[in-house]
């Protein structure tokens, strides 16, 4: 089986998702049969697990998002012609639109994974309206749509997509804690970590408001940077908040090992992979009650949920934390992760999706 993954962006959760999936596919189908198409400017953000497994990496120029989309079209058509994939797996909205529109006449199968429906994003009403129109029109243009959370599945049904086309495959990661040393973070205060994009969707501005004036209680680290938008960040941050910039996954994991609690203040979220990465390490999670985060944390049973876009509620929740509460949620979060969110289950289910839409002449993957 020959598989081409197409991404308009690989920064954030999509990159982590592919870091679990692509090495498995290389082992099952051979490195010559797995390709990944990503922006040239995102090459350094490709997880080492993808580069080291031998998958073929293709790039396209992306000087701006708009011009990059046209250049992605050109590079994608070249890749399809040369590689002749059996399956094209498109990730997120822009790649999903391009692959489905260009796939009206084809001899390969298309799988689309939204990684968070664009119709859920906040902002101008006309943008959401356009996104909804496109998803309804292109709903049947993919052979299969993989959604990564129950929330995404419900939204697919609300969009009128056929249940026969939509498969729920909740995201997962390796059950083993990465063997990286903990970062240096000596502090008697509660060590609070944010890890992700600084874009509007992720709500880092909400967190900054929530911890304002709490330097006596918290030491805060922000790992990440802007990827989609350039929202305003304060020119200077209070002494109890440190902005560390982008890190590779091992760097993020080192910070996660050192923290006491992870905060995920998103405005909307298809899944929320960083939450299960923390739970794997037995780190408690405080998150906004949006999208897949509600499912991951079991409506507050396995972590702490607060209303979205409410810095006061987040502040109150953080101020109420005790060492005992953090330890308790860390333990139950780890159990939740092991029961529901491991990658061996995820990659098997995705293999099953591929096989279900392909002609019977193609062999099933070999066990690894």
């Amino acid at each position: 089986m020959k598989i081409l993954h197409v991404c308009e962006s690989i920064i954030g959760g999509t990159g982590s998702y592919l870091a679990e999936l692509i090495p498995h596919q290389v082992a099952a189908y051979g490195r010559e049969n797995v390709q990944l198409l990503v922006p040239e400017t995102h090459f350094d953000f490709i997880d080492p697990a993808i580069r080291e497994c031998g998958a073929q990496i293709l790039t396209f120029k992306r000087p701006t998002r708009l011009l990059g989309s046209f250049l992605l079209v050109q590079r994608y058509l070249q890749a399809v012609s040369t590689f002749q994939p059996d399956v094209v797996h498109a990730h997120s909205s822009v790649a999903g639109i391009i692959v489905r529109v260009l796939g009206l006449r084809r001899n390969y199968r298309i799988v689309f994974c939204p990684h968070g429906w664009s119709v859920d994003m906040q902002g101008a009403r006309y943008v959401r309206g356009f996104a909804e129109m496109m998803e309804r029109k292109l709903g049947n243009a993919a052979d299969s749509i993989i959604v990564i959370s129950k929330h995404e599945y419900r939204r697919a049904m609300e969009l009128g997509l056929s249940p026969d086309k939509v498969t729920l495959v909740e995201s997962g990661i390796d059950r083993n804690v990465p063997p990286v040393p903990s970062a240096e973070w000596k502090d008697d205060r509660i060590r609070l970590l944010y890890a992700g994009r600084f874009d509007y969707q992720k709500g880092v501005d909400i967190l900054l408001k929530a911890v304002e004036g709490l330097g006596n209680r918290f030491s805060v680290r922000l790992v990440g940077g802007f990827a989609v938008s350039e929202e305003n960040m304060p020119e200077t941050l209070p002494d109890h908040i440190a902005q560390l910039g982008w890190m590779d996954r091992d760097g993020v994991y080192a910070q996660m090992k050192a923290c006491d609690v992870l905060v995920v203040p998103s405005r909307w979220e298809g899944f929320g992979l960083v939450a299960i990465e923390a739970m794997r390490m037995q780190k408690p999670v405080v998150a906004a009650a949006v999208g897949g985060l509600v499912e991951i944390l079991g409506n507050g049973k396995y972590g702490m949920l607060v209303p979205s876009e409410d810095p006061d509620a987040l502040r109150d929740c953080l101020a109420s934390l005790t060492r005992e509460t953090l330890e308790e949620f860390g333990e139950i979060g780890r159990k939740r992760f092991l029961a529901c969110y491991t990658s061996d289950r995820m990659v098997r289910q995705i293999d099953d999706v591929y096989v279900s839409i392909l002609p019977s002449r193609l062999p099933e993957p070999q066990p690894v």
Side-chain angles (χ1 to χ4, degrees):
M1 186 189 305
K2 300 174 73 173
I3 305 161
L4 172 62
H5 293 278
V6 182
C7 301
E8 189 264 344
S9 172
I10 199 171
I11 297 175
T14 301
S16 298
Y17 180 91
L18 290 170
E20 300 292 343
L21 180 59
I22 288 180
H24 158 80
Q25 293 179 339
V26 167
Y29 303 114
R31 63 180 62 188
E32 71 280 4
N33 292 320
V34 182
Q35 289 190 351
L36 170 64
L37 177 57
V38 297
E40 186 178 85
T41 51
H42 291 191
F43 186 86
D44 289 342
F45 295 97
I46 298 173
D47 193 273
I50 296 175
R51 292 199 292 263
E52 292 167 6
C53 75
Q56 302 173 63
I57 300 174
L58 312 176
T59 62
F60 64 95
K61 294 186 182 299
R62 187 181 182 259
T64 65
R65 293 201 81 187
L66 180 59
L67 179 56
S69 296
F70 288 104
L71 296 175
L72 171 56
V73 168
Q74 182 182 41
R75 190 68 180 93
Y76 170 67
L77 291 174
Q78 291 174 350
V80 167
S81 176
T82 303
F83 184 51
Q84 297 188 345
D86 299 303
V87 174
V88 172
H89 194 153
H91 300 270
S92 297
S93 301
V94 175
I97 290 173
I98 289 172
V99 167
R100 286 178 290 173
V101 168
L102 296 177
L104 296 178
R105 293 182 179 180
R106 54 188 164 86
N107 56 6
Y108 52 87
R109 303 295 189 261
I110 292 175
V111 175
F112 170 51
C113 182
H115 293 282
W117 288 107
S118 55
V119 298
D120 280 346
M121 63 184 177
Q122 298 180 17
R125 183 177 300 177
Y126 73 88
V127 176
R128 294 199 306 273
F130 175 78
E132 183 170 338
M133 178 193 71
M134 290 301 295
E135 292 303 340
R136 291 183 188 278
K137 286 186 175 297
L138 294 174
N140 292 319
D143 296 286
S144 183
I145 298 172
I146 292 176
V147 292
I148 59 177
S149 68
K150 295 182 180 69
H151 166 75
E152 274 200 350
Y153 187 88
R154 289 192 296 270
R155 296 295 282 125
M157 296 303 100
E158 291 168 3
L159 287 167
L161 304 184
S162 170
D164 294 336
K165 290 265 186 161
V166 182
T167 302
L168 171 62
V169 180
E170 291 179 297
S171 289
I173 55 176
D174 192 299
R175 66 177 57 244
N176 298 309
V177 175
V180 298
S182 174
E184 187 79 12
W185 194 350
K186 293 180 179 179
D187 205 296
D188 292 333
R189 298 169 294 181
I190 292 176
R191 294 163 296 185
L192 188 156
L193 179 67
Y194 170 89
R197 294 185 278 113
F198 290 178
D199 301 313
Y200 179 77
Q201 173 194 353
K202 299 298 183 177
V204 68
D205 58 306
I206 298 169
L207 173 59
L208 293 179
K209 291 177 184 177
V211 299
E212 186 175 346
L214 295 180
N216 62 322
R217 290 287 312 278
F218 299 100
S219 171
V220 182
R221 288 185 175 178
L222 311 177
V223 175
F226 294 103
V228 177
S229 59
E230 290 286 345
E231 301 297 324
N232 291 325
M233 285 283 285
E235 290 186 8
T236 60
L237 294 170
D239 290 342
H240 67 295
I241 303 175
Q243 186 172 333
L244 304 185
W246 287 111
M247 293 183 172
D248 61 19
R249 283 219 295 179
D250 284 351
V252 175
Y253 293 154
Q255 297 295 329
M256 203 172 277
K257 282 187 175 181
C259 80
D260 294 312
V261 58
L262 178 83
V263 180
V264 190
S266 303
R267 287 181 165 89
W268 69 92
E269 199 70 67
F271 184 72
L273 194 68
V274 70
I276 64 171
E277 288 177 326
M279 293 160 73
R280 172 175 62 181
M281 293 187 185
Q282 204 164 311
K283 299 296 181 177
V285 177
V286 175
V290 295
L293 290 168
V294 178
E295 301 162 27
I296 291 171
L297 299 183
N299 287 303
K301 185 177 179 181
Y302 307 106
M304 293 151 279
L305 290 171
V306 297
S308 64
E309 291 199 87
D310 191 337
D312 291 334
L314 178 56
R315 182 187 183 91
D316 291 343
C317 178
L318 295 175
S320 72
L321 295 177
T322 65
R323 296 290 177 183
E324 292 75 17
T325 300
L326 294 173
E327 183 178 355
E328 176 185 352
F329 276 111
E331 291 176 356
I332 61 178
R334 167 73 178 170
K335 293 176 182 177
R336 169 72 163 174
F337 161 72
L338 290 173
C340 301
Y341 297 112
T342 58
S343 59
D344 49 355
R345 181 266 315 155
M346 179 188 80
V347 298
R348 284 198 308 269
Q349 290 179 319
I350 292 175
D351 279 336
D352 290 343
V353 171
Y354 289 175
V355 170
S356 72
I357 61 175
L358 285 168
S360 58
R361 63 179 174 81
L362 289 169
E364 295 190 15
Q366 297 301 309
V368 295

